[in-house]
Amino acid sequence: MEREQRISEYQLNQTRPALLLVTASLIPLIILAAVMGRFFIQEQQNALDADIRSKATAMAATLQRELKSQIQLLTVVADSPRLDPPIPRSAFAETARRLRERVPEWEQIRISDEKGEVVLSLPPLEGSVEKQVVDIESHQAVVRTGGAVIGNVSIGPRGQAAFAVRVPIQRNDKLRAILSVVIRPTIVTNLLYANGLPENWAAWIVDGQDRLVASTGAPALAGNAASEFANFSGTDFGLATLKNGQELRVAEVALGETPWRVRVGLPVAEYDRLARKATLLLAAASCFTLLLSGSAAFLFHREIRARNRERESMANWQRMDALGKLTGQAAHDFNNLLMVFQSGVEGIRRRRNDEQRVTQLLSHMSDGVTRGKTITQRLLSFSRRSNQGAGHVELDIKLAELRPLLRQAVDDTIVMDINVPDDIWPVHVDPAGLEIALINFLTNAREAMGSGGQVTISARNVLDGAAEDPTLQGQFIALTIADTGTGVASEHLGRVFEPFFSTKKNGGPGLGLTQVHSFAKGSGGAVKVSSVVGHGSAFTLLLPRSNEQRIPREPAKPGVDLPGQLLIVDDTPSSLESVRLALEGLVSTIFVATSGSEAIEVLERHPEIEAVISDIMMPGMSGIELAEEIRRKNSRLPVVLMTGYSDKLEAGTEVGCPVVAKPFKIEDLTASLEAAQISTEKSTNVVRLEIPAKS
């Protein structure tokens, strides 16, 4: 069964590249089809635009002929001897009557002088009607040019729209009067409908003042602004919106001898509907392209996942190998510490009255507690995947403290030098993570110098991290660990941080440099390497500069300043009693509670309590929740949390108060209480504005 599964996986691995190749080759063909579909859509749209323009052009030509015939007929009348000045009223009336019978569209026939005053009219003007022509602009154009003019549409005294056709009455090349006919827009409206326009199309004609002469569907709007019928934007082709909200694709054509313009519009919905088939073709091609692209992406993703699984497997193997070695070392160190405590307990039990001997044993046991705390921090740092434990670290102080531990990471045949300038900046990193990184570097250096050599740890300030690594910005500290070992070949330098890569003879990754790389990235920095075969290697950690001020180098004044009334909260009886006994004699009154709810009751009964120390991991109400409840009830009461390990802290939970790690010294607790007191004093000076929740 396993053999058949392997054969199946092998065949799948062989066919997957072929599938990728076929899929990749089909994608350009589908894209080409999509481009051709788009071209087809454009051709359809161009054909529709040509149809709209042809109808608008035909309508403009028809209207132009009609207006021209009106001008020609009126010109013949103006040249008639019946209108030779002085014009008898009876002759004008008879001529005008016959013209109106022949041309019913002529609403009024008038003769006006050069000033625009109507002197003769049929039908006659009523006494109350203004005798000045309404469209004085077209009248003045005839006087100025001496030629025929089509006037703008206007609304007369009776509220009816009309436009005038005017020709000059000339005798002996001299203007004697102006003959005008007033025509209702009905004649133009009839032309619109007679032009064979589709029912769902729209057409309208505007004059030189953008007033509506005639329109399909709204003849009553003649004489009003064209926007009362449709809002049009454009000069040749454009979009228009009718008052009922319908959108049109519009072509505009101007008349040759008059400022009038004809606009013909096709509904945009129909414009889109005609191209829908081509759009569906384009959509189908796009979907097919997406399908092929998705298939290619899926196959490519499977390849990446397969490779990632291999990398992850190797990384986990390396991590477990590193963890095994680290825990083995930790077990060795813990056994040594347990031996210290076992010897101390037996020595104190046998010589309780030997004060000097007891003091010496207690000193050894106190040192053992410090070493044990360091070991647990190393283990926690190894398990940590983020930079949640980052803090302010003074490199010169830290490296001085770590010198004995770092010395143990190399053997006696290796000389170790630490060169850190006095003006080195502090860094913002996880202190335990930095310790593990240094141990990893020194372990690799020791293995590269089998017959002895020298390793140097140095540090320098970097004003601009981009000068060292393009991915960095801001100020950094370069911590370099250089050795005189065998070195790494140039073709391998780019892979030394890969989890499955190793240049060791036994093929094992050891503690590895992958963890160092993860630590550097998690800290917001980087790690660089340079090496010369036969001369050694140099690894440089680029760590971000801390924004906090450097710690003063003056020695701190010893002393213990603890509150007089203190509450200790811990659900573990032995831990609770140990803390109480450690503080007994230093604090006048100590209250204890085994849970968060009991602690609240104690605080309510004893408001004189000056500070609270609580474990974090407790059933029911955790220490973090207890601190929040205390802040709500009494923001002036300092709270310090203590813990051996907290998953919430490891996940980056903000607790808002100092945390002291178990085991701790009285000096550590005092410093945390002072920090909590300062924090509460600052918080009481802040005015909190409550923002009402939105209903």
Side-chain angles (χ1 to χ4, degrees):
M1 183 67 182
E2 182 178 356
R3 181 174 179 274
E4 293 177 355
Q5 184 177 0
R6 290 183 178 180
I7 294 175
S8 177
E9 291 179 356
Y10 175 78
Q11 292 175 347
L12 182 61
N13 291 335
Q14 293 296 318
T15 57
R16 192 181 296 123
L19 290 175
L20 279 172
L21 180 61
V22 172
T23 304
S25 62
L26 286 177
I27 290 176
L29 297 177
I30 303 303
I31 293 176
L32 179 61
V35 172
M36 295 179 64
R38 176 58 186 165
F39 177 76
F40 179 71
I41 291 175
Q42 189 66 44
E43 289 298 316
Q44 290 289 316
Q45 293 174 342
N46 291 339
L48 288 173
D49 288 341
D51 190 22
I52 300 172
R53 175 174 289 280
S54 65
K55 284 182 169 54
T57 303
M59 191 173 294
T62 301
L63 180 59
Q64 184 73 37
R65 287 194 300 271
E66 179 63 27
L67 293 178
K68 189 173 182 179
S69 65
Q70 298 290 334
I71 291 175
Q72 290 175 347
L73 179 58
L74 197 59
T75 301
V76 171
V77 176
D79 292 338
S80 172
R82 288 178 172 270
L83 298 185
D84 289 341
I87 305 173
R89 288 183 178 271
S90 58
F92 170 76
E94 180 63 21
T95 301
R97 182 184 62 79
R98 292 181 179 180
L99 287 173
R100 290 190 64 195
E101 291 176 353
R102 182 178 177 183
V103 188
E105 293 82 3
W106 288 9
E107 186 73 16
Q108 293 182 345
I109 302 175
R110 297 175 179 176
I111 294 178
S112 55
D113 58 16
E114 294 184 15
K115 296 181 180 181
E117 184 176 353
V118 179
V119 296
L120 294 173
S121 176
L122 187 76
L125 296 176
E126 298 179 1
S128 60
V129 177
E130 178 67 36
K131 293 187 177 181
Q132 190 76 14
V133 297
V134 176
D135 183 10
I136 190 64
E137 182 180 350
S138 61
H139 187 278
Q140 291 175 350
V142 177
V143 174
R144 185 175 60 255
T145 62
V149 172
I150 303 295
N152 293 318
V153 65
S154 57
I155 298 178
R158 297 181 180 179
Q160 295 180 341
F163 65 92
V165 179
R166 308 184 192 279
V167 297
I169 299 177
Q170 295 179 334
R171 298 295 184 268
N172 298 325
D173 296 331
K174 184 177 181 181
L175 181 65
R176 299 293 186 177
I178 296 175
L179 176 63
S180 304
V181 293
V182 178
I183 303 175
R184 298 293 179 198
T186 308
I187 185 174
V188 182
T189 305
N190 294 335
L191 290 177
L192 292 179
Y193 285 105
N195 205 43
L197 199 66
E199 184 178 355
N200 60 339
W201 288 33
W204 65 102
I205 300 171
V206 297
D207 62 12
Q209 297 178 344
D210 206 36
R211 290 185 174 274
L212 198 63
V213 179
S215 62
T216 57
L221 293 178
N224 295 329
S227 59
E228 293 293 327
F229 178 76
N231 291 318
F232 173 72
S233 59
T235 55
D236 185 17
F237 266 98
L239 294 177
T241 304
L242 299 179
K243 282 302 179 180
N244 60 7
Q246 185 181 21
E247 293 186 351
L248 303 175
R249 171 78 170 173
V250 178
E252 182 183 72
V253 177
L255 274 65
E257 299 177 0
T258 178
W260 287 14
R261 287 155 292 161
V262 176
R263 294 171 182 169
V264 176
L266 165 73
V268 173
E270 182 176 342
Y271 187 79
D272 295 337
R273 184 166 57 249
L274 292 176
R276 189 163 298 168
K277 291 184 179 180
T279 304
L280 291 176
L281 177 62
L282 178 62
S286 300
C287 291
F288 195 48
T289 302
L290 290 176
L291 179 61
L292 290 177
S293 300
S295 301
F298 173 74
L299 293 174
F300 185 68
H301 180 63
R302 288 188 61 181
E303 287 289 333
I304 293 178
R305 284 200 305 175
R307 292 177 179 269
N308 287 340
R309 281 196 298 268
E310 295 176 1
R311 293 171 63 93
E312 185 177 355
S313 176
M314 292 299 297
N316 289 336
W317 176 74
Q318 181 207 14
R319 189 172 185 84
M320 292 303 297
D321 179 73
L323 183 60
K325 292 188 176 182
L326 188 61
T327 52
Q329 181 66 34
H332 175 269
D333 293 341
F334 266 116
N335 285 331
N336 290 336
L337 293 178
L338 292 176
M339 188 62 199
V340 171
F341 283 100
Q342 181 67 29
S343 300
V345 170
E346 292 180 356
I348 294 174
R349 184 178 298 167
R350 291 195 308 269
R351 302 181 181 181
R352 295 183 180 181
N353 297 326
D354 189 348
E355 183 177 350
Q356 181 178 1
R357 182 64 175 174
V358 170
T359 302
Q360 183 179 8
L361 291 174
L362 289 176
S363 176
H364 291 329
M365 294 170 71
S366 177
D367 292 340
V369 171
T370 302
R371 291 175 58 191
K373 183 177 180 180
T374 302
I375 294 172
T376 57
Q377 288 177 345
R378 290 173 59 190
L379 292 173
L380 290 174
S381 174
F382 186 85
S383 64
R384 187 176 295 128
R385 300 300 183 102
S386 63
N387 197 36
Q388 297 296 342
H392 180 83
V393 176
E394 301 277 354
L395 276 180
D396 50 351
I397 298 177
K398 185 66 175 178
L399 291 176
E401 294 175 351
L402 293 178
R403 177 182 282 272
L405 181 63
L406 299 179
R407 178 68 257 182
Q408 295 177 6
V410 295
D411 55 35
D412 296 336
T413 63
I414 298 175
V415 177
M416 185 182 72
D417 290 332
I418 299 179
N419 300 321
V420 179
D422 295 335
D423 61 346
I424 195 68
W425 295 329
V427 295
H428 182 77
V429 295
D430 175 13
L434 176 62
E435 178 182 333
I436 294 297
L438 291 173
I439 292 175
N440 278 332
F441 279 137
L442 293 177
T443 302
N444 279 275
R446 183 192 64 202
E447 294 176 352
M449 296 182 292
S451 58
Q454 182 175 357
V455 61
T456 303
I457 303 175
S458 60
R460 56 186 172 86
N461 297 330
V462 179
L463 291 174
D464 185 7
E468 302 284 337
D469 191 301
T471 62
L472 303 181
Q473 290 184 352
Q475 296 179 336
F476 286 79
I477 291 81
L479 184 62
T480 302
I481 297 86
D483 62 64
T484 57
T486 57
V488 180
S490 58
E491 63 269 17
H492 295 155
L493 280 179
R495 303 182 61 190
V496 294
F497 299 110
E498 294 182 6
F500 54 85
F501 181 78
S502 175
T503 59
K504 297 177 183 179
K505 295 180 180 179
N506 58 7
L511 289 177
L513 296 174
T514 303
Q515 185 184 5
V516 177
H517 183 270
S518 299
F519 163 75
K521 290 297 183 180
S523 301
V527 59
K528 313 290 289 184
V529 59
S530 60
S531 182
V532 177
V533 177
H535 293 79
S537 304
F539 292 87
T540 300
L541 269 175
L542 294 168
L543 303 175
R545 179 181 180 179
S546 174
N547 294 325
E548 301 179 20
Q549 297 294 327
R550 295 188 65 183
I551 300 175
R553 293 301 183 265
E554 293 79 13
K557 296 181 179 180
V560 177
D561 186 12
L562 294 172
Q565 309 284 332
L566 185 65
L567 172 61
I568 305 173
V569 188
D570 199 325
D571 64 313
T572 305
S574 59
S575 177
L576 178 62
E577 184 65 14
S578 298
V579 177
R580 189 189 68 78
L581 290 175
L583 294 175
E584 189 175 11
L586 300 176
V587 178
S588 58
T589 305
I590 298 177
F591 300 90
V592 295
T594 58
S595 65
S597 57
E598 183 181 350
I600 296 297
E601 295 176 359
V602 173
L603 289 172
E604 291 176 350
R605 293 196 306 267
H606 300 279
E608 68 274 13
I609 292 176
E610 301 176 25
V612 177
I613 304 174
S614 174
D615 190 28
I616 290 181
M617 297 184 67
M618 297 187 298
M621 180 184 293
S622 69
I624 298 175
E625 295 170 340
L626 174 61
E628 294 176 352
E629 182 67 19
I630 292 175
R631 276 198 297 268
R632 283 195 292 269
K633 294 185 175 182
N634 185 2
S635 61
R636 294 179 176 271
L637 185 60
V639 179
V640 173
L641 298 178
M642 56 183 179
T643 183
Y645 173 79
S646 172
D647 53 352
K648 292 185 177 180
L649 290 180
E650 289 298 315
T653 302
E654 295 290 340
V655 297
C657 55
V659 179
V660 59
K662 296 178 181 179
F664 53 82
K665 297 180 180 180
I666 299 300
E667 291 79 3
D668 299 332
L669 179 60
T670 302
S672 298
L673 285 170
E674 291 178 354
Q677 182 64 42
I678 294 173
S679 177
T680 56
E681 290 175 356
K682 290 182 178 179
S683 65
T684 56
N685 295 326
V686 177
V687 178
R688 301 186 183 276
L689 299 179
E690 297 294 336
I691 301 176
K694 295 181 180 179
S695 59

